[in-house]
Amino acid sequence: MRTLWPFIRQFKYAKWPLFAGIVLMILGLGSSVGLLTLSGWFLAATAIAGVGSLFNFFYPSASVRGLAIGRTFFRYVEKIITHDATFRLLAKLRVKVFRHIIPLSPASLSQYRNSDLLNRLVADVDSLDNLYLRIIAPFVSAVMMIGLLSFTLSFFDPFLAGIIGLSLVLMLLFIPTIFYFLGERFGEKLTVQRSQYRTQFVNFIQAQAELLLFNATEESKQKMQATEKNWQSYQGKEAKLAGLSMGIVLFLNGVLLAVVLWFAGTFDFSAQLSVENQLYQGAIIALFAFSALASFEIVMPLGAAFLHIGQIMASARRINELSQTKPCVQFQGDKLFKAQVGTLWQLKNVSLRYPKREDWALKDVNLSIQAGEKVAILGKTGSGKSSLLQLLVRNYDPSQGEILLNNTPLNAYDEKSLRQAECALIQRVHIFSDTLRNNLQLASQTEISELKMQTILQKVGLTHLVEQEEGLNLWLGDGGRPLSGGEQRRIGLARILLNDAPILLLDEPTEGLDRETERQMLQLIFQHCANKTLIMVTHRLTAIEQFNKICLIDNAKLVEEGSFADLQAQDGYFKQLLMRV
């Protein structure tokens, strides 16, 4: 119950529609049971009365029609109300989970695959609709309906009414309990297999090009088929148990019908009937018999429904695991960034160790950067260059040490203010499955004019994209697959040039470009950053002399820093890099 409690509390956002759904479900069940019960009594009473006898068939026949219409009406309206309320709750739950996911990026989300996150947000949340539609509402309705049915039948015979009521209560207690424990044994495995299959399927679709190039398609298909086979085997078990629950309910209903018929045949109902109606006391037997026959509809859905509790609990645990994950970085400050002259960045004995890692990504880094300075961060792959940028944009907090921005601790700044002050380009440029215009509009919160977009695209050498018939409405596709790696990189540079942030943090901005194009792009970057602070991670020395300061990182430590001329004059690591070129 503790696992499901956070989701049960969500019902408060639609309490009246959900309550109305239960009332309508009770009315629908009552109409269905009443229809069969009254029909049975009506047919038996008509047969007893025979031809030529005085018998008021108008009220019973009108009631039968009314109950038939009511059953259809109540069930139809109940489906509309309960499903609409449930879908609204699921939408609210997805938004709540998504809002919790956003602060987890990127540090705390690194342990999850994107496809797994999508599966939790969609499939696992979808599984929770069974909590109300198939379990809570039918169970509450069954309890109320059993009470109403027993109370109504007690006016005809309390003993038979007690037999039917007690039998239904026992069935209500034992059948859901038994099938809950049976379903719990494989419910979580079924949920995990479903999630694993969907994750593999999404990865298979996204990696089609690579799988075909390396001739690994068949192996990937075999893994999917093995997962699918396990998933289907659990689904088969579920289907068999659902059939078993229906069979048991039908069998017990038959037993109840036989018991009721046996006892009813030995009773004299004349004491409960008026003198005028004593002729029809035999019809009371049909009334109880058809009541017992109709009562199976009350308990029938619960056995199969409680099979799903294992899956619901598993989905709830997966969502709770995600929702209860604490972000590595929490923005609780309210300081607003204001550009000023002098020292901009100060790193004091900064060290960084990534979660669940033993090695240091950075160790005892001390660095000072002035406002408006152009700084190049050099080093071999894996030395810690990108980790330094991760700290400056505050995707991670340092494990040790302190980072100051404008002489203020970095964690004292408001998130929105900090994000507006910095513009970062990471190694992997993400192209959204959207138009070229919308992919560029990401660079600014204000509307960017079409002319400005076209001018920037021309500068970065992507004029051929807007020269196509669609222009800026050109659809770039999933992940920008129609674009080359260099074109994707240039779109990332175009976003940088369209942004007005005073601090630019670039991670290998010219990776994948030829030397001539690289020089052109760097020239554009320097022009754009004339009055801005630029910190650029690179392992190439193109235009390195244009930077005010060069920092060299090796084995997670800052080993050298200074101007181009100073480092060139020293017999150190930078000079060795120059000699290799």
Side-chain angles (χ1 to χ4, degrees):
M1 181 58 70
R2 183 179 299 175
T3 303
L4 296 176
W5 183 243
F7 307 102
I8 294 175
R9 285 190 301 181
Q10 296 291 312
F11 291 170
K12 65 183 179 182
Y13 297 112
K15 54 185 177 183
W16 294 117
L18 295 179
F19 176 75
I22 292 177
V23 172
L24 289 168
M25 192 174 291
I26 293 171
L27 292 174
L29 273 175
S31 299
S32 182
V33 173
L35 176 63
L36 189 57
T37 302
L38 182 58
S39 298
W41 176 87
F42 186 35
L43 291 174
T46 305
I48 292 171
V51 180
S53 299
L54 292 176
F55 179 73
N56 186 355
F57 65 88
F58 291 105
Y59 291 158
S61 61
S63 299
V64 167
R65 290 186 180 185
L67 289 171
I69 295 172
R71 179 181 65 170
T72 304
F73 173 78
F74 291 133
R75 287 187 173 179
Y76 179 75
V77 177
E78 175 260 320
K79 297 296 182 186
I80 292 176
I81 292 178
T82 55
H83 282 74
D84 179 72
T86 303
F87 291 149
R88 290 180 186 275
L89 287 175
L90 293 184
K92 188 178 290 290
L93 178 61
R94 283 197 181 94
V95 172
K96 181 181 178 181
V97 174
F98 188 73
R99 282 179 178 168
H100 187 84
I101 288 176
I102 293 175
L104 300 180
S105 179
S108 301
L109 288 185
S110 58
Q111 57 183 312
Y112 301 104
R113 292 183 177 181
N114 292 338
S115 52
D116 183 41
L117 288 174
L118 179 63
N119 191 64
R120 293 180 190 231
L121 194 60
V122 178
D124 287 334
V125 172
D126 275 345
S127 297
L128 294 173
D129 68 354
N130 291 321
L131 182 60
Y132 173 79
L133 292 176
R134 302 187 66 174
I135 296 177
I136 294 179
F139 188 84
V140 173
S141 301
V143 171
M144 296 298 295
M145 192 59 214
I146 291 172
L148 290 172
L149 180 63
S150 301
F151 176 74
T152 304
L153 293 178
S154 65
F155 286 99
F156 297 94
D157 189 89
F159 181 75
L160 286 178
I163 290 177
I164 294 176
L166 180 61
S167 300
L168 292 176
V169 168
L170 292 175
M171 292 170 66
L172 187 64
L173 290 176
F174 287 105
I175 291 179
T177 303
I178 291 171
F179 284 93
Y180 160 69
F181 285 109
L182 290 175
E184 189 183 32
R185 293 164 52 189
F186 64 85
E188 184 169 0
K189 295 177 181 178
L190 193 152
T191 301
V192 171
Q193 290 296 316
R194 179 192 64 193
S195 173
Q196 186 176 346
Y197 178 80
R198 291 181 175 178
T199 299
Q200 290 177 349
F201 180 75
V202 171
N203 292 337
F204 178 79
I205 296 298
Q206 291 179 337
Q208 272 294 292
E210 289 78 6
L211 291 173
L212 290 171
L213 286 171
F214 291 98
N215 198 26
T217 304
E218 194 60 36
E219 182 181 353
S220 182
K221 283 183 178 179
Q222 290 176 358
K223 290 181 179 179
M224 286 176 56
Q225 288 172 353
T227 304
E228 184 180 20
K229 186 176 180 180
N230 290 333
W231 183 20
Q232 288 177 341
S233 68
Y234 290 124
Q235 286 180 315
K237 290 180 180 179
E238 182 184 48
K240 290 177 182 178
L241 286 175
L244 177 62
S245 71
M246 186 175 295
I248 291 175
V249 171
L250 288 174
F251 172 76
L252 293 177
N253 186 249
V255 172
L256 175 61
L257 176 61
V259 171
V260 168
L261 285 173
W262 187 81
F263 278 109
T266 62
F267 285 178
D268 182 8
F269 298 101
S270 58
Q272 286 81 18
L273 299 175
S274 63
V275 177
E276 294 83 0
N277 292 324
Q278 287 182 4
L279 175 66
Y280 304 107
Q281 63 174 323
I284 303 299
I285 299 176
L287 183 144
F288 275 98
F290 278 89
S291 293
L293 189 63
S295 64
F296 87 98
E297 192 170 345
I298 301 173
V299 186
M300 177 65 75
L302 292 177
F306 273 70
L307 280 174
H308 291 84
I309 289 187
Q311 298 175 53
I312 294 172
M313 296 283 285
S315 295
R317 278 192 290 268
R318 285 164 54 83
I319 296 173
N320 286 335
E321 177 190 352
L322 191 60
S323 300
Q324 293 169 5
T325 301
K326 300 296 182 182
C328 292
V329 175
Q330 297 187 21
F331 285 86
Q332 298 177 339
D334 56 2
K335 181 79 173 176
L336 301 180
F337 176 83
K338 293 182 180 179
Q340 60 185 47
V341 296
T343 303
L344 180 66
W345 290 101
Q346 286 180 282
L347 281 73
K348 299 180 178 180
N349 299 318
V350 169
S351 299
L352 173 65
R353 176 183 283 154
Y354 288 112
K356 300 181 180 180
R357 292 283 297 273
E358 295 296 329
D359 57 321
W360 290 98
L362 288 172
K363 184 66 175 175
D364 296 327
V365 175
N366 291 278
L367 180 63
S368 178
I369 299 174
Q370 303 299 309
E373 211 169 21
K374 313 298 181 284
V375 180
I377 311 293
L378 296 178
K380 60 187 179 182
T381 301
S383 59
K385 307 185 302 296
S386 298
S387 296
L388 181 59
L389 289 194
Q390 294 279 9
L391 290 175
L392 296 183
V393 298
R394 208 173 170 226
N395 283 340
Y396 295 87
D397 281 334
S399 305
Q400 298 175 8
E402 185 180 28
I403 300 177
L404 303 178
L405 177 61
N406 280 344
N407 296 315
T408 302
L410 190 59
N411 57 13
Y413 283 94
D414 173 72
E415 181 179 12
K416 183 178 180 180
S417 177
L418 183 63
R419 298 293 179 236
Q420 290 176 342
E422 299 176 329
C423 181
L425 176 64
I426 60 176
Q427 291 183 11
R428 181 178 178 270
V429 177
H430 185 80
I431 306 297
F432 288 88
S433 184
D434 208 331
T435 62
L436 177 59
R437 182 195 310 276
N438 290 338
N439 270 279
L440 294 176
Q441 183 59 52
L442 289 172
S444 177
Q445 294 182 349
T446 59
E447 187 72 21
I448 304 175
S449 68
E450 186 169 315
L451 178 61
K452 188 174 182 180
M453 286 185 181
Q454 292 175 342
T455 303
I456 295 299
L457 288 173
Q458 183 179 7
K459 287 183 178 181
V460 298
L462 293 177
T463 310
H464 61 281
L465 293 181
V466 290
E467 286 178 346
Q468 298 187 47
E469 183 179 351
E470 299 92 339
L472 289 172
N473 293 320
L474 176 67
W475 192 263
L476 299 184
D478 184 25
R481 282 202 178 268
L483 304 176
S484 67
E487 288 174 329
Q488 293 183 23
R489 207 69 186 163
R490 293 186 200 191
I491 288 179
L493 288 171
R495 290 173 179 167
I496 294 294
L497 300 177
L498 289 168
N499 188 277
D500 295 325
I503 304 172
L504 266 68
L505 305 167
L506 310 182
D507 193 351
E508 306 283 3
T510 58
E511 184 70 22
L513 304 179
D514 59 82
R515 282 299 173 92
E516 184 61 30
T517 304
E518 181 183 21
R519 288 186 178 277
Q520 295 174 5
M521 295 304 105
L522 287 174
Q523 191 63 34
L524 283 173
I525 291 172
F526 280 113
Q527 290 175 4
H528 181 68
C529 297
N531 300 313
K532 303 175 185 290
T533 303
L534 171 65
I535 303 174
M536 190 177 88
V537 166
T538 181
H539 65 273
R540 300 167 72 166
L541 302 181
T542 306
I544 196 68
E545 67 280 356
Q546 297 187 44
F547 289 90
N548 305 122
K549 180 183 287 186
I550 300 170
C551 301
L552 291 99
I553 296 180
D554 187 43
N555 293 326
K557 295 184 177 182
L558 180 63
V559 293
E560 291 181 23
E561 65 172 301
S563 66
F564 177 82
D566 292 341
L567 293 178
Q568 188 180 31
Q570 299 175 13
D571 188 17
Y573 187 57
F574 180 70
K575 190 171 183 178
Q576 295 177 18
L577 291 177
L578 289 176
M579 295 175 62
R580 294 175 188 171
V581 177

